[in-house]
Amino acid sequence: GRDGEVRRMTPATVVYDFDEALEAVGGDRETLKLLMEAAMEECPLRMRSIHEALAGGNGKSLHLAAHTLKGSLRYFGDSPAFRHALSLECLAKEGRLDEAGRLAAALEEELRHFLQALQARLLADAASGDGAGSQPG
């Protein structure tokens, strides 16, 4: 029963702002679902581009990949993943690839949490039949 202590030490769970995302798409849940599904496909691809750009020392590719990733994340509030992508974009622009490399590792970690949260949300929405006209009458 020691895990209570461990849990206290971990930082508070980041809550991604799905309400903000819903507002961004004009309250359309179907569009939000598409956005979330797109982000789940898009983010890992962009992360791969980021790694490739870093491996090749290509600041221009890195800047583009970080910028695109930031675009996928921006609907979901001011999350750590979003802030990392933004910082990475700036570092790439300034050609500071050593720092960018360190940040990319942190970004990947945040992205993993973000994608887990997305998946959980999609599953929860699917389970509740939200917006599928499941309410009788």
Side-chain angles (χ1 to χ4, degrees):
R2 289 180 57 83
D3 56 20
E5 294 168 41
V6 178
R7 212 171 291 132
R8 262 208 311 281
M9 297 187 58
T10 55
T13 310
V14 179
V15 178
Y16 296 97
D17 201 339
F18 293 110
D19 291 336
E20 186 172 313
L22 187 59
E23 224 166 89
V25 296
D28 186 334
R29 285 180 185 283
E30 198 49 44
T31 305
L32 177 60
K33 180 171 178 266
L34 291 173
L35 254 190
M36 292 197 285
E37 287 170 349
M40 286 188 72
E41 278 181 32
E42 186 81 8
C43 291
L45 293 176
R46 294 304 148 231
M47 199 64 230
R48 201 159 68 220
S49 303
I50 285 168
H51 285 309
E52 283 167 9
L54 281 166
N58 190 332
K60 216 184 200 103
S61 296
L62 180 62
H63 180 259
L64 181 64
H67 178 77
T68 312
L69 178 60
K70 188 190 72 176
S72 297
L73 295 168
R74 75 168 198 276
Y75 293 103
F76 303 99
D78 188 21
S79 65
F82 176 83
R83 285 198 294 271
H84 284 348
L86 179 62
S87 302
L88 191 61
E89 186 185 10
C90 296
L91 288 174
K93 204 175 187 168
E94 293 164 14
R96 291 153 65 187
L97 298 190
D98 288 352
E99 289 167 74
R102 286 194 290 277
L103 187 61
L107 171 60
E108 189 160 30
E109 184 65 22
E110 289 299 344
L111 213 49
R112 198 157 60 234
H113 295 309
F114 171 66
L115 293 174
Q116 281 170 352
L118 275 190
Q119 198 163 18
R121 175 62 187 243
L122 283 165
L123 288 171
D125 282 356
S128 70
D130 213 358
S134 57
Q135 256 84 42

